[in-house]
Amino acid sequence: MSDIKRTSTDRANESVSRTKNIGAILLESFKKDTMLYILVIVYIFFLILTKGGIFRSSSFTELVNQNTYVYIIGTGMLMCMLTGGNIDLSCGSFVCLLGALGGIFMVLKGVSAGVSILLMLAIGIAYGTLLGWLIAYVHIPPWIATLAGYLAFRGLGTSILQNNSATSSLSPIPVEFRDVFYGRIFPTKEGEMNWPCFIAGIVAAAVIVTVILVNRKNRVKKGYEVESIGKTYVKCGIGCAVILLLMTKLALGGGIPTSLLWVVGIVLTYNFITSRTTIGRHFYVVGGNIEAARLSGVNTRRIMFIAYLNMAVLTSIATMTVISRSQSANSFIGNNFEMDAISACVVGGVSASGGSGTVLDMVIGATLIGIINLGMSLISLDANYQSVVKGFVLLAAVVFDILSHKRKK
C-alpha cells in the first residue's frame, strides 16, 4: 500500500517538475526572443482590430512593398550603429536628392534604365566615399557630418525638382526601371494561385531547415554547446510555417514582388558578412571598444570608412525602389527614412551604444514597425497619432534594451 502511495507521489512530483521545466523553457525562450514574441502579439492585436484585414493577401504584398526601403536602409544603419552607436541622419534627404537626379536622367533626358541605375549608384558611391573620408580620416563626428547632408540634400533636391517641373514632381518613371525594383516574378491575377511563388516557398523552407540542421551538426562535431534537438525541430517548424504562410499569401496576391528579392538578397549577404567574415567581426570589435580594437591591429579608420560608404550604396538602392513604387521623383520621398531605419534597428534589439546586434534583429524590428504602420493605416488612424505610437514604441524598445543590459550585469 505504501508503495502505491509512494508511486502516486512520485508521479505527482514528476508532473510538477515537468510543468516547471516547461515554464522555465518558455521563460528562457521569451527572454531570448522577446521582440519575436512581441511581433506575434502585435500582429494578433491588429488582426482582431482590423477584423482579419491585415491577413489578406494584398496586405502581405503591401507590407513587403511598403517597407522595402526600411529593410535596405536599416541594414546600412545597422553597420553604422555596430561601430559604436553611430548613425546616418542624411540618408532620407539623400533619397530625395538622388531621386530628383534619377528623375532628371530618365524623364527629362531620356537616359535608359540600365545607364540610370549605374549613374545613381556612381553618385551614391561618390557621396559615400566623401562622407566616409570626412568621418574616418578627418575625424568629423558622424552626427555632424550627416546632419549637414540632412539639411542640404532635401533643399537641393527640392530645388532641382522645382526648377524642372511645375509640380515639383517628375513622372512617369520608365516601365523598364520600375520592373527591376517594383515588378513581379511570373505575375498572375490576384486570388489565383501563383505556383512558381508557392514552389519557391517550399524550396526556401527546405533550405532553411537544412541550414539549421547542418549548423547544429557542425557545432556538435566541434564540441560547442547546442540547444536540444527538440528546440531545433520546433525552430525549424516555426520557420517553415512562417515562410510557407508568407509565400502562399504572396502567391495569391499576384506573385513574388521583385522588391522582396532585393530585400532577401541584401539581408542574406550582410548576415553572412557580419557572422562569417573577419571584416564583419571587426565591426563588432570596433563598436565594443574602438581603442582596444586599434591596439589589436584592427584598422578602425577603414571600418568607419566602409560603414558609411556602404550606407550610401544601400541608400542608393533604396532610392530606386522608392521612386519605382511611387512611379515618380518628388520632394516628399525620403521623409523620416532615417528615423524609420534607426527605429528598426533599436526596436529589433541592436544596441544603441554599438558592438551588439544582428541583421536578423533588424529584420524583426523592421517587420514590427511595418506591421504597426500597416495596421494603423488599415484602421485609418490619424497620421499624427501614428507618429505618437511609433515614438512610444521606440522609447519602450530603448528602455527595454537598457534594463536588459542592467539585468545581465
Side-chain angles (χ1 to χ4, degrees), residues 365-403:
T367 305
L368 178 58
I369 294 294
I371 288 174
I372 292 173
N373 286 337
L374 181 60
M376 291 190 297
S377 297
L378 289 174
I379 63 174
S380 301
L381 186 67
D382 184 84
N384 295 317
Y385 289 111
Q386 290 187 29
S387 298
V388 172
V389 171
K390 287 194 286 186
F392 276 114
V393 169
L394 179 60
L395 179 62
V398 174
V399 171
F400 178 79
D401 180 58
I402 293 172
L403 293 177

Side-chain angles (χ1 to χ4, degrees), residues 313-356:
V313 171
L314 289 179
T315 301
S316 301
I317 296 173
T319 302
M320 298 178 206
T321 66
V322 171
I323 64 174
S324 295
R325 181 170 181 265
S326 63
Q327 300 185 23
S328 67
N330 59 70
S331 58
F332 298 105
I333 64 170
N335 273 334
N336 294 323
F337 278 19
E338 61 282 343
M339 299 306 168
D340 289 337
I342 294 169
S343 298
C345 291
V346 174
V347 169
V350 179
S351 175
S353 57
S356 176

